[in-house]
Amino acid sequence: MSLPVVRLFWLGRVHYSELLALQEHWLRRLQADPRPGTLSGTKAGVLLVCEPAGPVYTGGLRGGLTPEETTRLRALGAEVRATGRGGLATFHGPGQLLCHPVLDLRLLGLRLRTHVAALEACAVRLCELRGLQGARARPPPYTGVWLGERKICAIGVRCGRHITSHGLALNCSTDLTWFEHIVPCGLVGTGVTSLSEALQRLVTVDEVMPSFLVAFKETFKCTLISEDSPS
């Protein structure tokens, strides 16, 4: 039996707004498909991967940022956006691998809960491939991947009509001081870390990409086909 096919788009460094626009384009396209996988060229969905070009704070469906906090964060030079994903406030910026899978879960044999678990397993596997054996997922409200008491990968998703959006954010060489201005994911008393901090050397998004793609294919049991034009 052949594996489901997912189209891969590596966007490089892009503004967060561009990633959201592409996500919305593919979300509408997959949701318009009358029968899963029959719309020409959609396969089981698309994997949008990028490195954010600038600092962005995002809130989730549960909120996370008051108007006063939004004003304060914008004064730091960061963009602030409300999103439709699950969870509370987090940060995206340069040095972070941002992955938004827009997938038809029916074609992958997944449900929302197992999709989130697969994203966590993907990040754990990536850490293992980079030589970090202590990464682990934790149950809600600690969704994501952790090294000890520090989160290295945040996960927040949305799912409507079996189609997913948003995904994971893995800290590679992220400037972690940006997280000091919020309570990441609303979890008081916890911290954040990165591959660079854990491995005590610079680890770039470009370096991590091959391992990430291996981990994604393993955990989602799919074939990735790389394409140039995301539209």
Side-chain angles (χ1 to χ4, degrees):
M1 184 176 179
S2 61
L3 296 174
V5 174
V6 175
R7 302 172 71 179
L8 165 68
F9 296 104
W10 164 239
L11 308 175
R13 270 203 179 197
V14 297
H15 292 288
Y16 188 71
S17 58
E18 184 176 344
L19 172 64
L20 290 184
L22 288 170
Q23 175 181 263
E24 185 62 25
H25 166 80
W26 283 103
L27 190 59
R28 289 196 305 267
R29 184 167 176 175
L30 266 69
Q31 288 179 338
D33 195 348
R35 291 178 295 168
T38 60
L39 192 61
S40 176
T42 59
K43 312 296 183 185
V46 299
L47 179 61
L48 304 173
V49 188
C50 75
E51 178 180 0
V56 184
Y57 291 98
T58 65
L61 288 172
R62 293 162 54 202
L65 294 172
T66 66
E68 293 76 18
E69 288 172 320
T70 297
T71 299
R72 176 174 57 82
L73 295 174
R74 284 178 174 154
L76 297 173
E79 186 180 354
V80 180
R81 281 184 171 269
T83 71
R85 62 164 173 78
L88 293 166
T90 193
F91 170 79
H92 302 307
Q96 191 177 70
L97 189 155
L98 198 52
C99 157
H100 282 203
V102 185
L103 305 173
D104 190 324
L105 294 183
R106 293 167 293 185
L107 298 178
L108 292 161
L110 297 173
R111 299 191 177 194
L112 179 57
R113 183 174 296 180
T114 51
H115 171 60
V116 172
L119 287 172
E120 290 177 321
C122 176
V124 169
R125 179 62 178 142
L126 169 58
C127 288
E128 291 173 348
L129 291 171
R130 305 312 301 174
L132 292 173
Q133 302 301 318
R136 63 190 175 101
R138 297 170 63 180
Y142 300 97
T143 302
V145 174
W146 300 73
L147 287 172
E149 294 302 311
R150 295 180 180 273
K151 182 180 281 191
I152 194 168
C153 179
I155 292 175
V157 303
R158 184 175 185 176
C159 186
R161 288 187 275 173
H162 307 283
I163 311 298
T164 66
S165 56
H166 298 278
L168 66 78
L170 177 80
N171 297 325
C172 298
S173 56
T174 319
D175 180 355
L176 300 178
T177 60
W178 285 102
F179 287 96
E180 297 173 1
H181 303 285
I182 59 172
V183 179
C185 304
L187 300 175
V188 178
T190 61
V192 293
T193 189
S194 67
L195 290 173
S196 293
E197 184 176 75
L199 294 171
Q200 297 185 320
R201 66 174 183 84
L202 178 65
V203 181
T204 66
V205 173
D206 285 340
E207 178 187 337
V208 164
M209 268 297 292
S211 297
F212 169 74
L213 298 180
V214 168
F216 189 90
K217 287 186 289 187
E218 285 183 7
T219 53
F220 279 84
K221 297 178 173 58
C222 69
T223 298
L224 291 175
I225 296 180
S226 182
E227 304 204 16
D228 295 327
S229 174
S231 58

